[in-house]
Amino acid sequence: MKQIEIFSPATIANVSCGFDVLGCCLDSIGDKMVLRKTQEPGVRIGKIIGEQLPLEAEKNVASVAVIQMMKDLEVAPDFGIEIDIYKNIKPGSGVGSSAASAAGAVFAANELLGNPFSSHQLIPYAAEGERAACGAPIADNVAPALLGGFTLVKSDDPIKVLELPSIEGLYATIIHPQIEIKTSVSRDILPQTVKLKSAIKQWANVGALIHSLHTNDPHLFAESLNDYIVEPHRSKLIPEFDNVIKHAVKAGALGGGISGSGPSIFTFSKNKQVAHKVSLAIDEVYKKTKIPFQIYTSKINVEGVKIVKKQ
């Protein structure tokens, strides 16, 4: 194999009560990436289509992740790797744009190298790509991108991730308001201490949500999609957040929350038909604002990064 083309999916992190630990993988939103072997050693970015992102290998999240991975190979390859990125996920949208680049790059490079690493072993390398984007090797987006379905980051030092099942037929509807919320602002707005009563409610919801995934229980899943710690603060940064959730639930959604650090808002529905109704309801809410927006509907992707073509 000399070249591989892959689809690297968008993801939802901070799934309601699972701030910084729970994420899930989407199916219809993602980037295309092409990686090829080169005679020249090392890792380089060939081209980036769709967004203006760094072409320097030491600054781009995709190449940074692959460079870190190749450092740990027992035997250095006799070829280099060139990466082309076709961005469909807008940076700063809250659905794992940088994670898609990092996860897709290490997945595809691993294939070109003959799969020396398992999917779980690839997560820390993809997280190093995230470090280049935000300053910390976070895994809550790259993990579901690589593993598919829902994931739980059990530990971040060392990184340990648990794979979780998904509710059968589950769909997500995501609205992306075209506004910018800096991660630093969304972090600074959070309280440094929380009330014990709120923490207990949060722990209970995380446990119940995990149980609902394992038992395929959409009703318990819906009851668990409540965040008592982060959402009350961050939602103030997102116009019409409460109205979006209210009208989505009225249209049949199981619940929702803030995707990543925002501004995207996610909702979950038990099937494609309900997700479409939810999309229409959210559209009605945001059409009354002067804010440009995009709405996506996607089933939960249980595979993660997908191979499109090998040559």
Side-chain angles (χ1 to χ4, degrees):
M1 181 172 47
K2 296 180 180 179
Q3 179 173 297
I4 183 171
E5 178 183 333
I6 55 106
F7 169 82
S8 194
T11 48
I12 296 171
N14 299 341
V15 179
S16 292
C17 54
F19 177 68
D20 269 4
V21 295
L22 272 175
C24 69
C25 188
L26 302 175
D27 191 63
S28 60
I29 316 164
D31 295 337
K32 183 177 88 168
M33 302 180 73
V34 177
L35 277 71
R36 66 184 64 85
K37 295 179 180 178
T38 62
Q39 291 184 344
E40 182 183 350
V43 181
R44 64 184 294 267
I45 301 294
K47 61 183 175 183
I48 301 172
I49 306 296
E51 294 290 341
Q52 291 188 339
L53 296 169
L55 288 167
E56 299 90 343
E58 67 278 7
K59 295 181 180 179
N60 189 285
V61 299
S63 46
V64 166
V66 174
I67 289 169
Q68 289 296 319
M69 182 179 75
M70 292 180 72
K71 285 181 179 178
D72 286 347
L73 292 171
E74 292 184 3
V75 179
D78 59 356
F79 58 87
I81 293 178
E82 184 177 69
I83 306 169
D84 293 342
I85 306 172
Y86 300 83
K87 290 299 292 182
N88 295 312
I89 310 173
K90 187 176 179 63
S93 59
V95 287
S97 179
S98 60
S101 294
V106 295
F107 175 93
N110 193 48
E111 290 283 331
L112 290 176
L113 292 163
N115 291 297
F117 301 103
S118 70
S119 295
H120 278 269
Q121 289 173 327
L122 291 177
I123 295 171
Y125 300 119
E128 283 301 317
E130 288 282 66
R131 188 199 294 271
C134 66
I138 54 177
D140 54 349
N141 279 110
V142 296
L146 284 164
L147 304 176
F150 283 80
T151 59
L152 173 72
V153 180
K154 170 67 170 64
S155 168
D156 59 7
D157 187 19
I159 291 176
K160 182 178 182 180
V161 175
L162 306 179
E163 296 182 63
L164 305 171
S166 178
I167 300 290
E168 186 177 343
L170 192 67
Y171 266 73
T173 302
I174 303 102
I175 178 170
H176 174 212
Q178 303 292 302
I179 60 173
E180 181 182 6
I181 296 178
K182 293 185 180 296
T183 301
S184 57
V185 174
S186 65
R187 284 280 179 182
D188 289 345
I189 201 173
L190 299 180
Q192 294 303 304
T193 59
V194 297
K195 293 181 178 180
L196 180 61
K197 186 176 181 180
S198 297
I200 292 170
K201 288 181 179 179
Q202 195 87 341
W203 297 332
N205 274 337
V206 173
L209 191 145
I210 300 299
H211 184 68
S212 74
L213 294 173
H214 280 285
T215 57
N216 193 38
D217 187 341
H219 299 294
L220 180 60
F221 182 77
E223 291 176 5
S224 307
L225 288 171
N226 290 298
D227 178 5
Y228 295 97
I229 294 175
V230 175
E231 189 178 290
H233 301 278
R234 282 190 171 175
S235 61
K236 297 173 184 176
L237 301 174
I238 304 174
E240 299 295 331
F241 175 83
D242 290 335
N243 267 337
V244 166
I245 298 298
K246 176 184 175 182
H247 284 81
V249 171
K250 188 176 180 180
L254 298 170
I258 302 168
S259 183
S261 57
S264 287
I265 305 168
F266 71 85
T267 60
F268 290 119
S269 299
K270 60 183 180 181
N271 57 46
K272 185 177 182 179
Q273 291 73 29
V274 176
H276 179 65
K277 292 179 182 177
V278 170
S279 175
L280 295 176
I282 294 174
D283 182 80
E284 284 298 317
V285 172
Y286 251 79
K287 278 197 303 190
K288 296 175 183 176
T289 71
K290 295 181 179 180
I291 302 169
F293 63 94
Q294 291 175 299
I295 297 178
Y296 308 94
T297 299
S298 171
K299 67 179 179 180
I300 300 303
N301 172 358
V302 296
E303 301 173 58
V305 180
K306 299 177 184 179
I307 297 172
V308 177
K309 187 190 302 180
K310 293 181 180 182
Q311 292 179 226

